[in-house]
Amino acid sequence: QKYGYYHCKACNIRWESAYVWCVQGTNKVYFRQFCRTCQKSYNPYRVEDITCQNCKQTRCTCPVKMRHVDPKRPHRQDLCGRCKGKRLSCDSTFSFKYII
């Protein structure tokens, strides 16, 4: 799971997502995301690891983890190419076996 930056060329809308699924050890994206306005699907134009803002590590031991993601923000299952139309969302801890 990585962090991605998106741009819809049709609507000129930009968004970011912490639900970018890549081939392990690479930035090759498995699933596209859909624009909330025109419903066209896109790969991110930039992908990066989800890092802690304190220590800049992906797997940190900081007592308070400050990630550049908001864990309270709901996952838009209707716009996610991985879990759109599925019973469980890919932000669910145990949903991986049901998605693929």
Side-chain angles (χ1 to χ4, degrees):
Q1 182 177 0
K2 299 204 178 201
Y3 196 84
Y5 298 85
Y6 293 83
H7 178 223
C8 175
K9 293 175 178 77
C11 302
N12 203 27
I13 290 177
R14 294 180 184 273
W15 72 94
E16 299 176 13
S17 175
Y19 294 94
V20 178
W21 304 98
C22 296
V23 176
Q24 189 171 4
T26 73
N27 284 343
K28 183 175 180 192
V29 178
Y30 262 138
F31 301 97
R32 294 173 164 237
Q33 288 194 7
F34 295 86
C35 172
R36 68 171 192 252
T37 305
C38 69
Q39 293 295 308
K40 290 184 179 178
S41 64
Y42 291 96
N43 279 327
Y45 64 85
R46 189 171 107 211
V47 175
E48 60 186 41
D49 291 329
I50 298 174
T51 58
C52 175
Q53 293 301 298
N54 288 331
C55 65
K56 307 297 184 208
Q57 300 295 315
T58 54
R59 302 195 197 304
C60 72
T61 57
C62 296
V64 176
K65 296 182 189 309
M66 292 182 56
R67 304 269 182 192
H68 66 237
V69 298
D70 181 0
K72 294 181 180 77
R73 188 172 180 172
H75 178 53
R76 291 286 308 266
Q77 188 173 353
D78 60 320
L79 301 176
C80 175
R82 183 176 186 214
C83 62
K84 184 175 186 171
K86 300 286 193 283
R87 187 167 53 95
L88 293 173
S89 172
C90 63
D91 67 343
S92 301
T93 307
F94 300 106
S95 67
F96 184 76
K97 64 184 178 182
Y98 298 106
I99 303 300
I100 295 184

